[in-house]
Amino acid sequence: MILALETSCDDTCAAVLTGAGEVLASVVSSQGVHDRFGGVVPEIASRHHLELVNAVVDDALRQAGCGLDDVTLVAVTQGPGLVGALLIGIATAKGLAAARRLPLAPVDHLQGHVAANFLAPEPVEPPFLCLIASGGHTLLVRVTDHRGYEVLGGTLDDAAGEAFDKGARLLGLGYPGGPALSALARAGDPAAFAFPTAARVAGLDFSFAGLKTALLYAVRDLGEEETARRAADLAASYEHAIVEALMARVERALAAEPGARLAIGGGVAANRRLRARAEALGVQVKVPPPELCTDNAAMIGSAARWVDPVRHPDYLALDAYATGRRHRAP
Ligand code: KG4
Ligand code: ZN
């Protein structure tokens, strides 16, 4: 049994899964205290992780119907993310593992998003192309084995989730903006406004800065009253532009690799329009359930199955990393 922890941002997550990738419990406690600040406040996130983490681990074990005695491996997100937030998960994982002399598997958060696709009941086997779109990262990668990936394209400025969050803020919606903007977009016309998709950026890289500016200008030009009246159209057109920008690169990558399969991951992969668009591409596509796209610990436990575990007491010196560490397939 694997006990996994994820605390890289503002969700305190614990999961219990089997070595075969069956998720027995996946608990996500969203802090919900960052809304009024319009984004995650790192220090507040760390404090809340500290308050929540033991209860979340207890919940996960109870839901899985097992105890610490059944756990043979502890997995934890090492980075990238907010260092203070990561350290709460790492310290907790070290404590739990060391108390029972268990091995510990440090996991890269982005590899976790890829590894959500390796979970039962329908794991996808490499090789495949994978779009990872979250609040902090937007990557198009080639997954050739279970341990890592090769980066084909990345964002030149904002991440896709960040574009959702900033757009939502311009429209006066709460944080996180993606789900709120997407809900508003349901009632709108995606063709009402022609927002840019960075079509001029060649290759497989993404850019969302121009889109955000275009929405800013549209809101300014419309004025407060008209913006409120047309909020659903603005949201639908903006969401459409983000999804098309992502899918244009995915289509380019698929065109260059005939027969390639596609998987998606990261919080933005929970988006309704993106999921529908991906499923209509005409290639074999793996779309994990929304709760495995947004941050969770089951994906971290999944990735841990292919990480070399660190033995006790070697992991006691393990540190978090905020950025970097590109996982390349060997
Ligand atoms: O992967 P994730 O949960 O956390 C990070 O690793 O960043 O991604 C969070 C991002 C946020 O920007 C959030 O607005 C976005 O994913 N997101 C969505 C949806 N659900 C979450 N964006 C669009 N539509 C959604 N349904
Ligand atoms: Zn994430």
Side-chain angles (χ1 to χ4, degrees), residues 6 8-9 109-110 113 133-137 266-267 293-296 299:
E6 149 63 42
S8 67
C9 192
H109 182 81
L110 295 172
H113 278 304
S134 72
H137 299 86
C293 291
T294 48
D295 285 349
N296 66 87
M299 69 183 198

Side-chain angles (χ1 to χ4, degrees), residues 55-184:
V56 167
V57 168
D58 279 349
D59 278 358
L61 288 169
R62 200 176 47 242
Q63 282 180 27
C66 67
L68 273 180
D69 286 345
D70 304 306
V71 175
T72 49
L73 175 68
V74 178
V76 65
T77 308
Q78 190 182 11
L82 303 169
V83 169
L86 288 161
L87 285 173
I88 305 298
I90 292 174
T92 307
K94 283 179 188 176
L96 288 166
R100 288 166 189 262
R101 303 291 188 264
L102 292 171
L104 187 145
V107 174
D108 182 88
H109 182 81
L110 295 172
Q111 180 61 26
H113 278 304
V114 171
N117 290 288
F118 301 147
L119 285 165
E122 286 172 343
V124 54
E125 292 298 316
F128 56 88
L129 297 177
C130 188
L131 172 71
I132 311 165
S134 72
H137 299 86
T138 303
L139 293 174
L140 189 53
V141 305
R142 182 186 294 119
V143 178
T144 49
D145 72 10
H146 288 99
R147 299 173 77 97
Y149 52 75
E150 183 189 341
V151 177
L152 304 175
T155 182
L156 304 176
D157 37 62
D158 293 345
E162 201 177 349
F164 267 108
D165 294 337
K166 288 179 175 173
R169 205 166 169 178
L170 283 171
L171 295 176
L173 306 170
Y175 178 87
L181 190 142
S182 183
L184 178 61

